[in-house]
Amino acid sequence: MPHDDTRPAPPAEGIPDRLYGRRRGHPLRPRQQRLLDLTLPRITLATPATPRDSFPMAAESLWLEVGFGGGEHALELARHNPHAALIASEVFENGLCSLLTTLVPEGQEATAPLPPNLRLWPRDARHLLAALPDASLDRLFLMFPDPWPKARHAKRRFTHPALLPLLAAKLRPGAEWRIASDDPTYQAWVDEVMGAQPFFTLAEHHHTHPNGWPRTRYEAKALREGRSPRWWVWRREPEAGGGAALSGPLPPGA
């Protein structure tokens, strides 16, 4: 499936035209290319402005994972929460292939049944957020994001002051934003940024793996290498001002 790599204007001052790095690692194998050509279109979110229309089941809530990496966290969420509609966003093609390989047997890329409560978004997650209805998300996940550790790259971090009004506009009052990171620079950044904003309050903070959070390969790697992950749950404040004015600049197809 071809991917549009055009770069629209950033959603707010201080945020670059994209937050991710490369879109592809090693060259794709034939099986991976078939997954992108045949399977990905079948599971891609079709209508971000009316997201529940893309799910063939009645959903009690709408969740979004930003940057799902290898996909194990998103797959566990979908498997154990059948009544939640989950959108999983990732631009890295090898990561998309990793998730799709788990879902689809070889030779059935065009025919194998797919989870009714899982849809993918293979583009910049900010474009999806701009298109979603306000107050539509019940839970947001940001699991072990790229820390962009150099100071000059801090503007590429998803947890960024300029992006928080948009996130606040899309999460309903009382919704949860779950963040996990093993990088000390990013951990300090989360404490600093989230400690200086009016949209979310800290509901939970863990230094050991909390119950109910699927484990990821990134957590396992961090523990092997001696790093200490941290986990946060931030709750959307009912009375805080939103960021609806930021909903328009990025069209869903950009």
Side-chain angles (χ1 to χ4, degrees):
M1 174 182 177
H3 296 292
D4 181 7
D5 198 29
T6 57
R7 300 183 179 186
E13 184 178 355
I15 291 289
D17 53 4
R18 66 179 191 178
L19 304 186
Y20 55 89
R22 57 183 181 164
R23 298 194 67 139
R24 179 178 295 181
H26 55 74
L28 297 178
R29 298 184 294 274
R31 154 78 161 159
Q32 293 176 311
Q33 192 63 57
R34 291 197 302 274
L35 289 168
L36 294 183
D37 291 342
L38 302 176
T39 311
L40 183 58
R42 299 171 53 217
I43 198 172
T44 294
L45 184 77
T47 55
T50 54
R52 291 177 185 248
D53 292 349
S54 294
F55 294 88
M57 31 76 76
E60 296 176 358
S61 56
L62 182 65
W63 297 359
L64 169 62
E65 180 171 358
V66 173
F68 62 71
E72 61 269 18
H73 183 268
L75 290 172
E76 284 297 300
L77 286 179
R79 287 167 179 163
H80 292 287
N81 300 278
H83 300 297
L86 173 64
I87 306 169
S89 174
E90 179 59 64
V91 300
F92 190 52
E93 290 182 341
N94 299 87
L96 290 164
C97 291
S98 178
L99 183 150
L100 295 173
T101 296
T102 303
L103 285 180
V104 176
E106 187 161 6
Q108 300 182 36
E109 290 83 4
T111 58
L114 298 169
N117 67 327
L118 176 64
R119 292 294 177 265
L120 305 186
W121 181 260
R123 296 179 179 176
D124 192 317
R126 296 170 307 150
H127 306 165
L128 169 63
L129 286 162
L132 288 174
D134 286 352
S136 60
L137 291 174
D138 296 279
R139 194 168 290 182
L140 174 66
F141 300 88
L142 183 68
M143 306 301 297
F144 300 93
D146 188 329
W148 294 104
K150 295 180 180 180
R152 69 176 184 272
H153 292 153
K155 61 185 179 180
R156 289 187 178 272
R157 297 170 187 160
F158 186 83
T159 307
H160 193 282
L163 195 57
L164 292 181
L166 177 62
L167 298 177
K170 303 306 174 176
L171 271 72
R172 66 165 181 80
E176 290 184 359
W177 180 10
R178 296 189 174 192
I179 304 174
S181 176
D182 64 290
D183 182 85
T185 300
Y186 203 89
Q187 292 171 348
W189 176 262
V190 170
D191 289 337
E192 176 184 349
V193 170
M194 298 302 290
Q197 50 77 41
F199 306 110
F200 301 90
T201 56
L202 181 62
E204 297 179 32
H205 182 206
H206 303 275
H207 290 266
T208 58
H209 187 97
N211 293 331
W213 291 55
R215 296 183 183 273
T216 75
R217 68 185 67 185
Y218 306 104
E219 177 186 351
K221 180 180 179 182
L223 294 173
R224 287 196 308 269
E225 297 178 356
R227 293 188 299 279
S228 300
R230 290 167 61 189
W231 296 262
W232 298 262
V233 177
W234 297 90
R235 184 159 289 124
R236 174 71 168 97
E237 278 287 342
E239 68 276 11
L246 294 179
S247 299
L250 289 177

Coordinates of all heavy atoms in Angstrom, one line a residue, residues 114-166:
L114 N -10.1 -10.4 10.7 CA -9.3 -9.5 11.5 C -10.1 -9.1 12.8 O -11.4 -9.2 12.8 CB -9.0 -8.2 10.7 CG -8.2 -8.5 9.5 CD1 -8.2 -7.3 8.5 CD2 -6.8 -8.9 9.9
P115 N -9.5 -8.7 13.9 CA -10.2 -8.3 15.1 C -11.2 -7.2 14.8 O -10.9 -6.2 14.3 CB -9.1 -7.9 16.0 CG -7.8 -8.5 15.5 CD -8.0 -8.5 14.0
P116 N -12.4 -7.4 15.3 CA -13.5 -6.4 15.0 C -13.2 -5.1 15.8 O -13.8 -4.1 15.4 CB -14.8 -7.1 15.4 CG -14.3 -8.1 16.4 CD -13.0 -8.6 15.9
N117 N -12.5 -5.2 16.9 CA -12.3 -4.0 17.8 C -11.0 -3.4 17.6 O -10.6 -2.6 18.4 CB -12.6 -4.4 19.2 CG -11.5 -5.4 19.8 OD1 -11.0 -6.2 19.0 ND2 -11.2 -5.2 21.0
L118 N -10.2 -3.7 16.5 CA -8.9 -3.1 16.3 C -8.8 -2.5 14.9 O -9.2 -3.1 13.9 CB -7.8 -4.1 16.4 CG -6.4 -3.7 16.1 CD1 -5.9 -2.6 17.1 CD2 -5.4 -4.8 16.2
R119 N -8.4 -1.2 14.8 CA -8.2 -0.5 13.6 C -6.9 0.2 13.7 O -6.5 0.7 14.7 CB -9.3 0.4 13.2 CG -10.6 -0.3 12.9 CD -10.5 -1.1 11.6 NE -11.8 -1.8 11.3 CZ -12.0 -3.1 11.7 NH1 -11.1 -3.7 12.4 NH2 -13.1 -3.7 11.3
L120 N -6.1 0.3 12.5 CA -4.8 0.9 12.5 C -4.9 2.2 11.8 O -5.7 2.5 11.0 CB -3.8 0.0 11.8 CG -3.7 -1.5 12.3 CD1 -2.5 -2.2 11.6 CD2 -3.5 -1.5 13.8
W121 N -3.9 3.1 12.2 CA -3.7 4.4 11.6 C -2.3 4.5 11.2 O -1.4 4.7 12.0 CB -4.1 5.5 12.5 CG -4.0 6.9 11.9 CD1 -3.0 7.7 12.1 CD2 -4.9 7.5 11.0 NE1 -3.2 8.9 11.3 CE2 -4.3 8.8 10.6 CE3 -6.1 7.1 10.4 CZ2 -5.0 9.6 9.8 CZ3 -6.7 8.0 9.5 CH2 -6.2 9.2 9.2
P122 N -1.9 4.3 9.9 CA -0.5 4.2 9.5 C 0.1 5.5 9.1 O 0.9 5.6 8.2 CB -0.5 3.2 8.3 CG -1.8 3.5 7.7 CD -2.8 3.8 8.8
R123 N -0.3 6.6 9.8 CA 0.2 7.9 9.5 C 0.4 8.7 10.8 O 0.2 8.1 11.9 CB -0.8 8.7 8.6 CG -1.1 8.1 7.3 CD -2.1 8.9 6.5 NE -2.3 8.4 5.1 CZ -3.2 8.9 4.3 NH1 -3.9 9.9 4.6 NH2 -3.3 8.3 3.1
D124 N 0.9 9.9 10.7 CA 1.1 10.7 11.9 C -0.1 10.8 12.8 O -1.2 11.1 12.3 CB 1.5 12.1 11.4 CG 2.1 12.9 12.6 OD1 1.6 12.9 13.7 OD2 3.1 13.7 12.3
A125 N 0.0 10.4 14.0 CA -1.1 10.4 14.9 C -1.8 11.7 15.1 O -3.0 11.8 15.4 CB -0.7 9.8 16.3
R126 N -1.0 12.8 15.0 CA -1.6 14.1 15.1 C -2.6 14.4 14.1 O -3.6 15.1 14.3 CB -0.5 15.2 15.1 CG 0.5 15.1 16.2 CD 1.7 16.0 15.9 NE 2.2 15.8 14.6 CZ 2.8 16.7 13.8 NH1 2.9 17.9 14.2 NH2 3.3 16.4 12.6
H127 N -2.5 13.9 12.9 CA -3.5 14.1 11.8 C -4.8 13.4 12.2 O -5.9 13.9 12.0 CB -3.0 13.5 10.5 CG -1.7 14.1 10.1 ND1 -0.9 13.5 9.1 CD2 -0.9 15.2 10.5 CE1 0.2 14.2 8.9 NE2 0.2 15.2 9.8
L128 N -4.7 12.2 12.8 CA -5.8 11.5 13.3 C -6.5 12.3 14.4 O -7.7 12.5 14.4 CB -5.4 10.1 13.8 CG -6.5 9.3 14.6 CD1 -7.7 9.0 13.8 CD2 -5.9 8.0 15.2
L129 N -5.7 12.8 15.4 CA -6.3 13.5 16.5 C -7.0 14.8 16.0 O -8.1 15.1 16.5 CB -5.1 13.9 17.5 CG -4.6 12.8 18.3 CD1 -3.2 13.2 18.9 CD2 -5.6 12.5 19.5
A130 N -6.4 15.4 15.0 CA -7.1 16.6 14.5 C -8.4 16.3 13.9 O -9.3 17.2 13.9 CB -6.2 17.3 13.5
A131 N -8.6 15.1 13.4 CA -9.9 14.8 12.7 C -10.9 14.1 13.6 O -12.1 14.1 13.3 CB -9.6 13.8 11.5
L132 N -10.5 13.6 14.7 CA -11.4 12.9 15.7 C -12.4 14.0 16.3 O -12.0 15.1 16.5 CB -10.6 12.2 16.8 CG -9.9 11.0 16.5 CD1 -9.1 10.5 17.7 CD2 -10.8 9.9 16.0
P133 N -13.6 13.6 16.6 CA -14.5 14.5 17.3 C -13.9 14.8 18.6 O -13.2 14.1 19.3 CB -15.8 13.7 17.4 CG -15.7 12.6 16.4 CD -14.2 12.3 16.3
D134 N -14.2 16.0 19.1 CA -13.8 16.4 20.4 C -14.5 15.5 21.5 O -15.6 15.1 21.3 CB -14.2 17.9 20.7 CG -13.3 18.9 20.0 OD1 -12.3 18.4 19.4 OD2 -13.6 20.1 20.0
A135 N -13.8 15.3 22.6 CA -14.3 14.5 23.7 C -14.7 13.1 23.3 O -15.6 12.5 23.8 CB -15.4 15.2 24.4
S136 N -14.0 12.5 22.3 CA -14.4 11.2 21.8 C -13.6 10.1 22.4 O -14.0 8.9 22.3 CB -14.3 11.2 20.2 OG -12.9 11.4 19.8
L137 N -12.4 10.4 22.9 CA -11.5 9.3 23.4 C -11.7 9.1 24.9 O -11.8 10.0 25.7 CB -10.0 9.7 23.1 CG -9.6 9.7 21.7 CD1 -8.1 10.2 21.6 CD2 -9.7 8.3 21.1
D138 N -11.7 7.8 25.2 CA -11.9 7.4 26.6 C -10.5 7.0 27.3 O -10.4 7.1 28.5 CB -12.8 6.2 26.8 CG -14.2 6.6 26.3 OD1 -15.0 7.2 27.1 OD2 -14.6 6.3 25.2
R139 N -9.6 6.7 26.4 CA -8.2 6.3 26.9 C -7.2 6.5 25.8 O -7.5 6.2 24.7 CB -8.2 4.9 27.4 CG -7.0 4.5 28.3 CD -7.2 3.1 28.9 NE -8.3 3.2 30.0 CZ -8.6 2.1 30.7 NH1 -8.0 1.0 30.6 NH2 -9.5 2.3 31.6
L140 N -6.0 7.1 26.2 CA -4.9 7.3 25.3 C -3.7 6.6 25.9 O -3.4 6.7 27.1 CB -4.7 8.8 25.2 CG -3.5 9.3 24.4 CD1 -3.6 8.9 22.9 CD2 -3.3 10.8 24.6
F141 N -2.9 5.9 25.1 CA -1.7 5.2 25.5 C -0.5 5.7 24.7 O -0.5 5.9 23.5 CB -1.9 3.7 25.2 CG -3.0 3.0 25.9 CD1 -4.3 3.0 25.2 CD2 -2.9 2.4 27.1 CE1 -5.4 2.4 25.9 CE2 -4.0 1.8 27.7 CZ -5.2 1.8 27.1
L142 N 0.5 6.0 25.5 CA 1.8 6.4 24.9 C 2.9 5.5 25.6 O 3.3 5.9 26.7 CB 2.1 7.9 25.1 CG 3.4 8.4 24.5 CD1 3.3 8.4 23.0 CD2 3.7 9.8 25.0
M143 N 3.3 4.4 25.0 CA 4.1 3.4 25.7 C 5.5 3.5 25.2 O 5.8 3.2 24.0 CB 3.5 2.0 25.5 CG 2.0 1.9 25.9 SD 1.7 2.3 27.6 CE 2.7 1.0 28.4
F144 N 6.4 3.9 26.0 CA 7.9 3.9 25.7 C 8.2 4.6 24.4 O 8.7 4.0 23.5 CB 8.4 2.4 25.7 CG 8.2 1.7 27.0 CD1 7.1 1.0 27.3 CD2 9.2 1.9 28.0 CE1 7.0 0.3 28.6 CE2 9.0 1.3 29.3 CZ 7.9 0.5 29.5
P145 N 7.8 5.9 24.3 CA 8.0 6.6 23.1 C 9.5 6.9 22.8 O 10.3 6.8 23.8 CB 7.2 7.9 23.3 CG 7.2 8.1 24.8 CD 7.1 6.7 25.3
D146 N 9.8 7.2 21.6 CA 11.2 7.6 21.3 C 11.4 8.9 22.1 O 10.7 9.9 22.0 CB 11.3 8.0 19.8 CG 12.7 8.3 19.4 OD1 13.5 8.8 20.2 OD2 13.0 8.0 18.2
P147 N 12.5 8.9 23.0 CA 12.7 10.0 23.9 C 13.2 11.3 23.2 O 13.2 12.3 23.8 CB 13.7 9.5 24.9 CG 14.4 8.4 24.2 CD 13.4 7.8 23.2
W148 N 13.8 11.1 22.0 CA 14.4 12.2 21.3 C 15.3 12.9 22.4 O 15.1 14.1 22.7 CB 13.4 13.2 20.7 CG 12.7 12.6 19.6 CD1 11.4 12.2 19.6 CD2 13.1 12.4 18.2 NE1 11.0 11.7 18.3 CE2 12.1 11.9 17.5 CE3 14.3 12.7 17.6 CZ2 12.2 11.5 16.1 CZ3 14.5 12.3 16.2 CH2 13.4 11.8 15.5
P149 N 16.4 12.3 22.8 CA 17.1 12.8 24.0 C 17.9 14.1 23.8 O 18.1 14.8 24.8 CB 18.0 11.6 24.3 CG 18.2 10.9 23.0 CD 16.9 11.0 22.3
K150 N 18.2 14.4 22.6 CA 19.0 15.7 22.4 C 18.1 16.9 22.6 O 16.9 16.9 22.2 CB 19.6 15.7 21.0 CG 20.7 14.6 20.8 CD 21.3 14.7 19.5 CE 22.4 13.6 19.3 NZ 23.0 13.7 17.9
A151 N 18.6 17.9 23.3 CA 17.8 19.1 23.6 C 17.2 19.7 22.3 O 16.0 20.1 22.3 CB 18.6 20.1 24.3
R152 N 17.9 19.7 21.2 CA 17.4 20.3 20.0 C 16.3 19.5 19.4 O 15.6 20.0 18.5 CB 18.6 20.5 19.0 CG 19.1 19.2 18.4 CD 20.2 19.6 17.3 NE 20.7 18.4 16.6 CZ 21.7 17.7 17.0 NH1 22.3 18.0 18.2 NH2 22.2 16.7 16.3
H153 N 16.1 18.3 19.8 CA 15.0 17.4 19.3 C 13.8 17.4 20.2 O 12.9 16.6 20.0 CB 15.5 16.0 19.0 CG 16.5 15.9 17.9 ND1 17.5 14.9 17.8 CD2 16.7 16.7 16.8 CE1 18.2 15.1 16.7 NE2 17.8 16.2 16.1
A154 N 13.9 18.1 21.3 CA 12.8 18.0 22.3 C 11.4 18.4 21.7 O 10.4 17.8 22.1 CB 13.1 19.0 23.5
K155 N 11.4 19.2 20.6 CA 10.2 19.6 20.0 C 9.5 18.4 19.3 O 8.3 18.5 19.0 CB 10.4 20.7 19.0 CG 11.3 20.3 17.9 CD 11.6 21.5 17.0 CE 12.6 21.2 15.8 NZ 12.8 22.4 15.0
R156 N 10.2 17.3 19.1 CA 9.6 16.1 18.5 C 8.9 15.2 19.5 O 8.3 14.2 19.1 CB 10.7 15.3 17.7 CG 11.2 16.0 16.4 CD 12.1 15.1 15.7 NE 12.6 15.7 14.4 CZ 11.9 15.6 13.3 NH1 10.7 15.0 13.2 NH2 12.4 16.2 12.2
R157 N 9.0 15.5 20.8 CA 8.4 14.6 21.8 C 6.9 14.8 21.7 O 6.4 15.9 21.7 CB 9.0 14.9 23.1 CG 10.5 14.6 23.2 CD 11.1 15.2 24.5 NE 12.5 15.0 24.5 CZ 13.4 15.7 25.3 NH1 12.9 16.6 26.1 NH2 14.7 15.5 25.2
F158 N 6.2 13.6 21.8 CA 4.7 13.7 21.7 C 4.2 14.4 22.9 O 3.2 15.1 22.8 CB 4.2 12.3 21.6 CG 2.7 12.2 21.4 CD1 2.1 12.3 20.1 CD2 1.8 12.0 22.5 CE1 0.8 12.3 19.9 CE2 0.5 12.0 22.3 CZ -0.1 12.1 21.0
T159 N 4.8 14.2 24.1 CA 4.3 14.9 25.3 C 4.9 16.3 25.3 O 6.0 16.5 25.8 CB 4.8 14.1 26.6 OG1 4.4 12.8 26.5 CG2 4.2 14.8 27.8
H160 N 4.3 17.2 24.6 CA 4.8 18.5 24.4 C 3.8 19.6 24.7 O 2.6 19.4 24.5 CB 5.2 18.6 22.9 CG 6.0 19.8 22.6 ND1 5.5 21.1 22.5 CD2 7.4 20.0 22.4 CE1 6.5 22.0 22.3 NE2 7.6 21.3 22.2
P161 N 4.2 20.7 25.4 CA 3.2 21.7 25.8 C 2.3 22.2 24.6 O 1.1 22.4 24.8 CB 4.1 22.8 26.3 CG 5.3 22.1 26.7 CD 5.6 21.0 25.8
A162 N 2.9 22.3 23.4 CA 2.1 22.8 22.3 C 1.0 21.8 21.8 O 0.1 22.2 21.2 CB 3.0 23.2 21.1
L163 N 1.2 20.5 22.1 CA 0.2 19.5 21.7 C -0.8 19.2 22.8 O -1.9 18.7 22.4 CB 1.0 18.2 21.4 CG 0.3 17.2 20.6 CD1 -0.2 17.7 19.2 CD2 1.2 16.0 20.3
L164 N -0.6 19.6 24.0 CA -1.5 19.3 25.1 C -2.9 19.8 24.9 O -3.9 19.1 25.2 CB -1.0 19.7 26.4 CG 0.3 19.0 26.9 CD1 0.7 19.6 28.2 CD2 0.1 17.5 27.0
P165 N -3.1 21.0 24.4 CA -4.5 21.5 24.2 C -5.3 20.6 23.2 O -6.5 20.4 23.4 CB -4.3 22.9 23.6 CG -3.0 23.4 24.2 CD -2.2 22.1 24.1
L166 N -4.6 20.1 22.1 CA -5.3 19.3 21.2 C -5.7 17.9 21.8 O -6.8 17.4 21.7 CB -4.4 19.0 20.0 CG -4.9 18.0 18.9 CD1 -6.2 18.6 18.3 CD2 -3.9 17.8 17.8

